[in-house]
Amino acid sequence: MNKQKTVIIIVGPTASGKTSLSLELAAHFNTSIISADSRQCFKELNIGVAKPSAKELDSVKHYFINSHSIQENVDAHVFEKYSLQAADEIFTKNDIAIMVGGTGMYIKAFCEGLDEMPETNFEIRKEIVKNYKEKGLLWLQSEVEEKDPLFWQKAEQKNPQRLMRALEIVSNTGVSITELRKNNKAVRPFNVIKIGIDLSRHQLHINIENRVDEMFKNGLLEEVKSLQPFELLNALQTVGYKEIFNYLHNKLTITDTISQIKIHTRQYAKRQQTWFKKDKSLHWMSFESVKDFLAKEM
């Protein structure tokens, strides 16, 4: 690869229209898409992760969709290696690649690299997930605050995935995840243009409401039922699945389940926006402005 190669990265909160824009850009540049979504890579998950349709996946080659099983340990380090290889492959045929997704840590891993983390014990991870499922976020927050106060001071304190990861590291090593981070940025042999989809909060909330309703019409309940044997796997500790597991355990009514998924999706979208707003290299714009912006940039 050389400096003329460019990756256009489309980010934004869930339900902001990233998939639609990425497909349009991939067609425009006659290139492929690398997904930067931490759940769409799992072949067993479909409706609940808003995976592109079979027709959309056929129309453009996608990397990191249906690439792994929920029984595999997939994290930002796995994504970094996979996505760099995917970019290499795309660049043998095209000077432009499209990346799209809302998992901020994955995009950071691709652009800047990550510090190496020690191997961890799967049984410890499983036990943490089990306790979180049974005792909830307050238990998880209390454990992290007690066992890794250094991380807790700067943590996204309502993000269970980040908290479970920190607890997993400190439980395995006795060392704070913060101390293991050196923040040495890698230099990549290609250009990166990052675009954030700017959508009003009102419109985003409407999109989320409609998407959740559509998911239930399309069979989300049946999808989650089929995954019950795998309920404690890390891949399923995500919005849309954990609420339905609670419904299947008679902890929620179906009305409350749908309501909670909508609320938790809005909260997740807010966390995504908070993460991306910290990235000063991002260009925020409306869906309609993207092509004109790229025409000037490239």
Side-chain angles (χ1 to χ4, degrees):
M1 291 185 286
N2 58 55
K3 286 292 181 184
Q4 273 63 57
K5 307 295 185 183
T6 300
V7 182
I8 301 167
I9 302 180
I10 307 297
V11 308
T14 187
S16 58
K18 298 186 298 294
T19 296
S20 176
L21 178 58
S22 68
L23 288 163
E24 202 174 300
L25 291 178
H28 179 74
F29 291 109
N30 190 29
T31 190
S32 303
I33 295 171
I34 304 168
S35 168
D37 186 294
S38 63
R39 293 296 180 260
Q40 290 185 358
C41 63
F42 296 118
K43 52 195 171 194
E44 297 89 346
L45 310 186
N46 291 290
I47 299 166
V49 296
K51 199 175 279 181
S53 68
K55 186 178 177 184
E56 288 168 336
L57 292 174
D58 282 343
S59 69
V60 173
K61 182 171 175 59
H62 283 71
Y63 293 84
F64 210 64
I65 288 187
N66 297 328
S67 53
H68 294 76
S69 164
I70 53 173
Q71 299 191 63
E72 293 178 71
N73 180 24
V74 179
D75 59 15
H77 288 91
V78 171
F79 178 76
E80 180 185 4
K81 184 177 179 184
Y82 181 104
S83 58
L84 289 172
Q85 288 174 346
D88 266 329
E89 191 174 306
I90 294 168
F91 288 148
T92 62
K93 301 171 187 171
N94 199 303
D95 286 343
I96 295 168
I98 309 295
M99 177 173 281
V100 61
T103 305
M105 183 60 78
Y106 280 25
I107 290 162
K108 179 181 169 69
F110 176 77
C111 295
E112 302 174 9
L114 292 172
D115 295 317
E116 280 302 315
M117 289 289 159
E119 287 289 319
T120 56
N121 185 312
F122 179 72
E123 290 305 316
I124 290 177
R125 177 201 299 268
K126 203 171 164 185
E127 187 65 20
I128 290 169
V129 170
K130 182 172 179 288
N131 281 323
Y132 165 61
K133 287 284 290 181
E134 291 173 357
K135 301 173 186 176
L137 184 61
L138 284 175
W139 168 84
L140 184 57
Q141 290 170 328
S142 173
E143 286 289 296
V144 174
E145 186 176 15
E146 179 191 337
K147 293 179 179 172
D148 191 347
L150 196 62
F151 172 79
W152 176 253
Q153 289 167 16
K154 297 179 180 179
E156 296 175 59
Q157 296 181 356
K158 292 183 180 177
N159 187 328
Q161 293 301 326
R162 300 267 183 274
L163 296 177
M164 282 193 281
R165 179 61 173 155
L167 187 55
E168 180 189 349
I169 292 288
V170 78
S171 299
N172 274 275
T173 65
V175 178
S176 169
I177 194 170
T178 305
E179 292 180 65
L180 296 169
R181 288 177 176 159
K182 299 180 180 66
N183 292 320
N184 296 327
K185 290 186 181 180
V187 178
R188 302 304 192 199
F190 47 79
N191 296 323
V192 169
I193 299 173
K194 292 183 192 169
I195 295 171
I197 298 179
D198 200 8
L199 203 62
S200 74
R201 187 172 148 191
H202 176 69
Q203 186 59 54
L204 183 63
H205 286 182
I206 290 172
N207 290 359
I208 288 169
E209 293 270 326
N210 292 340
R211 173 180 279 185
V212 173
D213 290 339
E214 199 65 27
M215 284 176 171
F216 273 89
K217 282 180 195 166
N218 291 338
L220 178 59
L221 184 56
E222 290 69 27
E223 176 172 303
V224 180
K225 275 182 185 174
S226 73
L227 294 165
Q228 266 194 289
F230 310 103
E231 183 178 347
L232 289 178
L233 291 180
N234 189 50
L236 291 167
Q237 310 313 307
T238 193
V239 178
Y241 291 84
K242 57 188 181 182
E243 295 86 356
I244 293 178
F245 285 134
N246 282 335
Y247 164 73
L248 295 172
H249 291 304
N250 299 314
K251 293 179 182 177
L252 292 171
T253 65
I254 192 65
T255 304
D256 287 341
T257 301
I258 294 169
S259 175
Q260 277 203 10
I261 291 173
K262 289 177 178 178
I263 291 166
H264 293 160
T265 304
R266 289 199 298 270
Q267 290 170 342
Y268 174 58
K270 189 175 180 183
R271 289 199 301 272
Q272 288 176 300
Q273 286 176 312
T274 300
W275 173 286
F276 289 125
K277 290 290 183 186
K278 292 175 186 171
D279 186 345
K280 302 304 177 192
S281 65
L282 258 166
H283 304 275
W284 291 95
M285 64 193 71
S286 68
F287 192 105
E288 297 76 20
S289 307
V290 173
K291 279 189 182 173
D292 285 343
F293 169 77
L294 288 173
K296 291 173 189 170
E297 286 288 304
M298 299 173 73

